[in-house]
């Protein structure tokens, strides 16, 4: 089943940009990772809260962050979104302060890397 996700930007033909497959699935997971718990009253525990809860986390807690991401994905995303995704959280090899979240598709081998301490996110990207 193909997964589609609509963005707040347009493509080269000035039509709404629609992400499909890995891009759509990883975007939904990234939104869940960035979402602060308590944002939605109907689901107060939904969201990993990357910025508010994990931004300056110790390297020792990376496995805890990975577990939280997987738990949230299983709880709040449809199975077709996260079933073929592999999630890894580790310290950057180039910058010891930087923590990376790697989202990879186990079938197509596509991946996205999120830098916790350095990335800035545009509203149109999500």
């Amino acid at each position: 089943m193909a997964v589609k996700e609509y963005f707040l930007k347009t493509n080269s033909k000035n039509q709404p940009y629609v992400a499909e497959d890995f891009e759509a699935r990883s975007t939904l997971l990234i939104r869940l990772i960035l979402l602060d718990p308590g944002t939605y009253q109907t689901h107060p525990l939904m969201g990993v809260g990357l910025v508010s809860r994990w931004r300056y986390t110790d390297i020792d807690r990376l496995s805890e962050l990975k577990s939280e991401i997987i738990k949230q994905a299983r709880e709040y995303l449809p199975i077709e979104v996260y079933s073929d995704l592999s999630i890894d959280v580790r310290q950057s090899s180039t910058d010891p302060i930087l923590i990376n979240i790697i989202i990879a598709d186990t079938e197509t081998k596509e991946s996205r890397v999120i830098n916790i301490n350095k990335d800035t996110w545009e509203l149109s990207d999500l």
Side-chain angles (χ1 to χ4, degrees):
M1 178 180 165
V3 176
K4 292 183 178 183
E5 184 62 21
Y6 297 87
F7 283 63
L8 295 173
K9 62 182 178 181
T10 56
N11 62 17
S12 60
K13 297 177 183 175
N14 210 23
Q15 297 171 332
Y17 180 77
V18 181
E20 295 186 44
D21 299 325
F22 176 71
E23 184 181 10
R25 295 182 305 127
S26 62
T27 298
L28 288 170
L29 183 59
I30 290 169
R31 288 177 180 167
L32 184 65
I33 292 170
L34 293 173
L35 183 69
D36 284 332
T39 301
Y40 293 107
Q41 292 180 358
T42 54
H43 299 287
L45 300 178
M46 183 170 74
V48 175
L50 183 64
V51 175
S52 63
R53 295 179 54 211
W54 297 95
R55 185 168 209 166
Y56 301 108
T57 191
D58 294 330
I59 300 300
D60 303 339
R61 295 185 63 209
L62 295 185
S63 62
E64 189 180 337
L65 173 58
K66 179 180 175 180
S67 297
E68 179 68 16
I69 293 169
I70 293 169
K71 177 183 150 214
Q72 288 281 326
R74 287 185 179 150
E75 180 75 23
Y76 296 106
L77 296 177
I79 194 165
E80 61 267 7
V81 171
Y82 72 85
S83 63
D84 294 331
L85 294 181
S86 166
I87 301 164
D88 193 18
V89 180
R90 62 181 144 188
Q91 186 177 10
S92 172
S93 58
T94 58
D95 186 351
I97 297 173
L98 191 63
I99 297 171
N100 293 329
I101 299 174
I102 299 101
I103 302 169
D105 189 319
T106 56
E107 290 183 11
T108 65
K109 306 300 183 205
E110 294 178 83
S111 65
R112 287 176 88 173
V113 178
I114 304 161
N115 301 322
I116 293 178
N117 298 338
K118 291 198 176 176
D119 273 350
T120 58
W121 299 90
E122 299 288 327
L123 184 61
S124 63
D125 294 333
L126 302 173

